[in-house]
Amino acid sequence: GLVLPALAAALTGWVTFVPGFLFIVAGAPFIESSRGNRRLSTALSAITAAVVGVILNLAVWFSWHVIFPTGRGVDGFSLAAAVLFFVALQKEKWSVLSLLGVAAMAGLIWKWLLGMA
């Protein structure tokens, strides 16, 4: 049972991240050598701003649809988890990996408890 899903996950990770890393490795020397070029620096700053905007838009879109699922009102667990994990990251200075592990376990336990009800 788990061999094919594991292979699919590995392949998906490979084709998702390797091209980006290759572009970075191939393009880094050019970007570094053109550091004094004001036009290129301005263009790269604009691209960076656009990418940050897209990431922010996705974060807001996903958050909205998780906390306010269509036709079901507010998902209290998701809202509480978002607030608690934000506090853990910002105030308690948890590492991202620790937070992901705890969040994954909390989600699994919550779904398991819902399945039992």
Side-chain angles (χ1 to χ4, degrees), residues 4 7 21 24 38 56 62-63 116:
L4 288 179
L7 287 174
F21 290 138
I24 290 169
R38 190 169 169 95
L56 178 62
F62 281 121
S63 300
M116 293 184 66

Side-chain angles (χ1 to χ4, degrees), residues 61-76:
W61 190 88
F62 281 121
S63 300
W64 183 265
H65 286 85
V66 167
I67 294 172
F68 303 104
T70 306
R72 292 196 329 216
V74 175
D75 183 344

Side-chain angles (χ1 to χ4, degrees), residues 37-102:
N37 187 335
R38 190 169 169 95
R39 283 182 161 173
L40 184 61
S41 178
T42 302
L44 290 175
S45 293
I47 292 169
T48 300
V51 168
V52 168
V54 167
I55 292 170
L56 178 62
N57 180 48
L58 284 171
V60 169
W61 190 88
F62 281 121
S63 300
W64 183 265
H65 286 85
V66 167
I67 294 172
F68 303 104
T70 306
R72 292 196 329 216
V74 175
D75 183 344
F77 174 77
S78 296
L79 181 59
V83 169
L84 287 172
F85 292 136
F86 178 79
V87 169
L89 263 179
Q90 296 300 314
K91 300 286 186 205
E92 302 299 322
K93 304 296 184 203
W94 282 22
S95 73
V96 173
L97 287 177
S98 298
L99 182 91
L100 284 174
V102 171

